Amino acid sequence: MPLEYHKQIFETCLSNDGLVVMSKGLGVQHVILAFLKVYCDSDKLVLYVDPYSESLQESYCYYNEKLLQFGVKYANLPTFLKQELVGASKYRDGGVYFGPAATFILDMLMNRIPTDHIAGIIVDNAHRIDDLSPEALLLSLFKMRNSRGFIKAFSSDAAYITSSYASFGDINNLQRLLKLLQVPRVYLWPRFHLAVANELDTDSIAGGAVADNRLIELTIPMTESMIKIEKALTNTIEKLMGDIRSKNKHVLEKHRMTLEDGLFNSFDSMVQSWGDIGWHTKQNLNTIKILRNLTTLLVKYDGVSFLKFLETLRDVDSSYNNPEDEYSWIYTRDAEHLFNSAKERVYIESKLEFKKKKGDSGQKVDVYKRELVLEENPKWHLLYQVIKEIEDSKKETGIEPETILVFVKDERTCTQLQEYLDLGGYGMLLKKYDRLYAPTPPESTNSSIYTGGNSSWAGANRRKRGGAGGKSYSKRASESSRKQKITETNMRKKMNIKDETNATLFSMGVSVVGGAGGLSISNPRIVEVNGDNQSIDIEQIDDIYSVLSPPHIIIHPIEWSGNILEDATPQHIIIYDADVTIIRQIEVFRAENPHMTLFVYFLLYSDSIEESKYISILRREKDAFERLIREKASLIDLSGGLNNTTITTEKEQEVARIKNITEEELEMLPSANTSSRADSRTGGVVKYRSALRRGQGTKKKVVVDSFEFKSSLPVALHFGEYQIIPLRLVTGDYVISPLYCIERKSISDLIGSFGSGRLFHQIDQMGRHYTNPILLIEFDARQPFMLHTQEELNLPYISQVALSSKLMMLSRAFPKMRIIWARSSRSTVAVFDRLKENGPEPDPSNINVLPEPSANNSEYNYAPHDVLKKLPGINESNIHFVLDGVRDLHHLSQMSKDQLSTLLHSETDAALLYAFLTQDHISSKNINNQNNQNNNNNGNYKRNWSNRKK
């Protein structure tokens, strides 16, 4: 760690537990890497968790590569766990383990991992942890069983912690987060921290600094059509936000809404945090999401792709065929301007006038002429100018050209820029237009004729283009994969082609780097090998496979920046898409390599949403750190409460006090079943009684299926003071007593279970083993509490394939089953409390064991019992009379109507059963012949359905 502030953070956290909050891009990974280096070289056991599953895999690849560079042996590298270990022998060897929190929780509860041997836990992206995260449960269990282990938490998103829409609430989010992380203090390292500023600041431009006069900020205005599109989008967003204000006036005093808020994804979480919002508000919120995405795609996509995307939105819009729908944005005036301006970037239509011939009585057909415009994005030409300027400056000075690194937002932009550099702007757009609109252009260059109402073109053959643009284009060979290392391959062009029709721009190698090193070679050189003579000249091979000479152009996505700065060591960096993180990373890279000469070009659209969002992100981060500084000053000192000696002493005193309480004194306290009104009058004595009972070993228990730890319900049960017992259950997901077995389903899982038929089998198995099988339908608190979709509510009837209809059929098939609805995991815990009142606790040793015979249907064969239940007149109230009073089905069919009435204790049920048994399905003669044949062949046709133990 060459930077001093990295060393300060490491030394501070090495001796103290805490949460480190840094600005984006300041190098939090360098501090984490230092901790991993320390514990990889030791025999201590350290766990690494991350709420982001994708980020966990990327971090594992990144840190492994860095640790190898630092000299860590391959055998000592961190281990990635995808599932729980069968035994604890692997953990006893020590080392660093990456894995999901659910895996470590299960191993910890199953005693597969020696908790007392865990040195500590490292938590990345700690701002994403809430009270229902598996990471919160893991840290709580760890501190309960190992009070001496360390917890190091790291975050680089201060704005999320302080946001009023975060899952912690509005009052001191920082205090709540520290409690969940089980750490006593927080360390704040913003960009304006004195130690950080002293090392990174030279000349600050665009919120970042690189070197004296070496950062060049280049702004360029958008085209007139792009400005019109952006204005139409912002006007529509403002109108939708105004409609949200008018329908939610009860929360406007608490939450302010501006257009700037609507441009960020955090706006959705803010609106959803208001609670029960109306359907129209949710409709407007979904529309704002679409429009916000369009503001990003306007500067990201080319004009042809953007227009095609708009047309796709119009086609799939639910109100496309209803122009009178006031909640549809497609038919607003601003949307009309949006579509017209998007078309102007691609083509211009004009209606052709034809004189009608004499005697022509046919139907008139409108004929239109389409002139292709194919407007280029202004940033493309600006990028070309910068690269051309770099090349020209090196030629004038006679200095050997260096590598040029271009940072873009994502991999799609990488491919787009490569096509632009290969084919030129017009050539790339024409090729994309031909592909997306499937044209057959005529021989004319810029015009085409087609019939109105039909998108097909009138023409014969496709026009061919000369030059480099006519050569075949090589697509990337492989899909990106985050699990593979990012490799950089640089190619140079073997042929110098003149700049004709703006197809080939310059003779520099262009390389696109994706997640798996995907590459597209421009103007590839093809060597044909004669079948008769397979030998190739050595000089020719050397010319083809020789080491490539600079200059190289590497186009790299920002989201996978990783080691690209250290590996490529570029002299020129072009930031194509504005991003705070990559600017800070360049700052850190420049500070770590002060001897390098580095030129940075920052490209930005002036007076655009891109510029306003970039400035807003900087301001929000600054305001967030200022708020965290104020909250830190008012934090409750948890260092004493987290002291190991203090906790041990208090626990010992509490245990001694509980042991000295007699049963008579315990019974004098109010019952746990007392209502909440009585509880408030007694000053919380009921809760004290419950705590005393749990202290005496009567803590509530629940057996949880091992596959359920990926959900939030086990976390809610733990913080609801339940003892969680993990077990691989044969039937059900949760067992809260010997009588109750619960199958938990989310709405999406419920729909999938009905589709596959798995739910019927699950309920049937629970009904055979438990007296009260329960289906728990758990909703998402952020989604509407309803089973029907909006389309189903508009229908005048309930469809047979609707979810409610399937639940009704399921209830009729399994009368013993009960259905429980829960709004969230916290609501489910309250339901479990009600079900467990005065009930016995589950016994894990007998969970997966078949129950003993009793007075219920477990003493009978299941197959005949199921057949009998399908007969008319047979139900749960009289089926046992039939099983006990009749030998088999043949005996039942020979009984008279009066005998059935006496057997079933109901004349109505007897009439239904008798009518079914005496109905002429086939002739009686055939039945008698079949019975005689079966008796002669088998000797005993009758088979008892009773399966009683001898």
Side-chain angles (χ1 to χ4, degrees), residues 8 46 52 160 162 169 182 211 258 369 373 449 604 619-620 769 779 831 833 835 930:
Q8 293 181 27
V46 176
Y52 288 140
Y160 187 89
T162 59
Q182 307 289 325
T258 61
K369 177 183 179 181
V373 177
I449 300 176
L604 192 67
R619 185 182 68 254
R620 287 188 173 203
H769 295 81
F779 288 79
V831 173
D833 292 339
L835 293 176
Q930 186 176 2

Side-chain angles (χ1 to χ4, degrees), residues 37-72:
K37 175 66 169 60
V38 171
Y39 294 110
C40 281
D41 293 335
S42 65
D43 57 351
K44 294 182 179 180
L45 178 59
V46 176
L47 308 181
Y48 179 100
V49 294
D50 190 336
Y52 288 140
S53 59
E54 295 181 352
S55 176
L56 181 65
Q57 299 174 359
E58 294 176 1
S59 300
Y60 176 74
C61 296
Y62 171 80
Y63 289 127
N64 269 8
E65 184 175 352
K66 281 294 184 181
L67 290 172
L68 286 174
Q69 295 176 4
F70 289 162
V72 176

Side-chain angles (χ1 to χ4, degrees), residues 611-628:
E611 183 181 22
S612 61
K613 287 179 68 174
Y614 176 77
I615 298 174
S616 177
I617 290 174
L618 291 175
R619 185 182 68 254
R620 287 188 173 203
E621 185 185 68
K622 179 177 177 294
D623 295 341
F625 271 106
E626 291 176 351
R627 179 176 175 180
L628 287 177

Side-chain angles (χ1 to χ4, degrees), residues 142-256:
F142 173 66
K143 276 301 181 181
M144 287 172 55
R145 302 186 180 194
N146 186 350
S147 59
R148 295 178 177 83
F150 69 80
I151 295 178
K152 316 293 183 184
F154 300 90
S155 172
S156 59
D157 196 343
Y160 187 89
I161 299 176
T162 59
S163 59
S164 60
Y165 46 83
S167 54
F168 305 116
D170 295 335
I171 302 177
N172 207 337
N173 295 347
L174 181 60
Q175 182 78 63
R176 182 74 176 274
L177 180 58
L178 293 179
K179 180 180 178 181
L180 293 175
L181 292 172
Q182 307 289 325
V183 294
R185 55 187 65 86
V186 60
Y187 306 100
L188 303 177
W189 289 85
R191 175 61 179 81
F192 55 83
H193 194 286
L194 184 60
V196 179
N198 288 339
E199 291 196 83
L200 301 185
D201 276 346
T202 53
D203 287 338
S204 182
I205 301 179
V210 182
D212 293 335
N213 301 322
R214 291 193 177 96
L215 192 145
I216 305 172
E217 183 177 359
L218 301 174
T219 59
I220 186 172
M222 295 189 299
T223 64
E224 184 178 353
S225 299
M226 295 177 69
I227 294 175
K228 292 179 181 179
I229 293 174
E230 190 174 89
K231 184 178 180 180
L233 292 173
T234 53
N235 290 342
T236 308
I237 292 176
E238 285 183 331
K239 291 179 182 178
L240 293 172
M241 294 180 67
D243 189 61
I244 292 177
R245 291 191 196 99
S246 62
K247 289 182 171 56
N248 298 274
K249 296 181 179 180
H250 59 287
V251 294
L252 289 181
E253 298 179 358
K254 190 176 181 181
H255 300 274
R256 295 182 301 172

Side-chain angles (χ1 to χ4, degrees), residues 371-530:
E371 295 183 1
L372 296 183
V373 177
L374 301 182
E375 179 183 272
E376 301 180 15
N377 290 0
K379 265 192 183 182
W380 295 349
H381 188 63
L382 182 60
L383 174 66
Y384 165 67
Q385 287 181 329
V386 171
I387 297 176
K388 195 68 175 175
E389 179 183 345
I390 295 172
E391 183 184 16
D392 294 341
S393 63
K394 295 300 180 181
K395 289 181 179 180
E396 293 176 0
T397 57
I399 302 176
E400 183 179 358
E402 299 291 339
T403 299
I404 300 176
L405 180 59
V406 182
F407 278 113
V408 297
K409 194 67 176 179
D410 51 25
E411 196 173 1
R412 181 188 179 98
T413 310
C414 289
T415 307
Q416 178 192 97
L417 293 184
Q418 186 198 15
E419 291 183 2
Y420 170 73
L421 297 177
D422 284 346
L423 305 176
Y426 188 85
M428 182 195 71
L429 292 174
L430 182 62
K431 179 180 178 180
K432 188 162 292 186
Y433 184 87
D434 291 349
R435 184 175 72 252
L436 294 179
Y437 288 91
T440 307
E443 296 181 358
S444 58
T445 303
N446 292 327
S447 63
S448 302
I449 300 176
Y450 70 103
T451 57
N454 189 353
S455 61
S456 62
W457 292 72
N461 299 321
R462 183 179 300 272
R463 182 174 58 90
K464 298 182 180 179
R465 301 179 64 241
K471 292 182 178 292
S472 60
Y473 176 75
S474 175
K475 295 185 178 179
R476 288 175 296 167
S478 59
E479 295 290 335
S480 61
S481 174
R482 293 182 175 88
K483 299 180 181 180
Q484 299 179 6
K485 296 180 180 179
I486 299 178
T487 59
E488 290 78 23
T489 307
N490 305 313
M491 302 299 299
R492 68 174 182 179
K493 294 189 177 181
K494 302 295 183 178
M495 302 171 62
N496 292 327
I497 301 177
K498 295 182 180 181
D499 186 10
E500 298 178 359
T501 67
N502 201 26
T504 303
L505 301 180
F506 47 85
S507 58
M508 301 178 68
V510 180
S511 173
V512 174
V513 179
L519 177 66
S520 181
I521 305 173
S522 58
N523 298 324
R525 180 174 181 179
I526 302 176
V527 180
E528 296 184 359
V529 180
N530 191 349

Side-chain angles (χ1 to χ4, degrees), residues 3-13 189 193 195:
L3 299 184
E4 288 297 328
Y5 73 87
H6 287 160
K7 296 179 182 178
Q8 293 181 27
I9 298 174
F10 175 75
E11 292 173 357
T12 303
C13 295
W189 289 85
H193 194 286

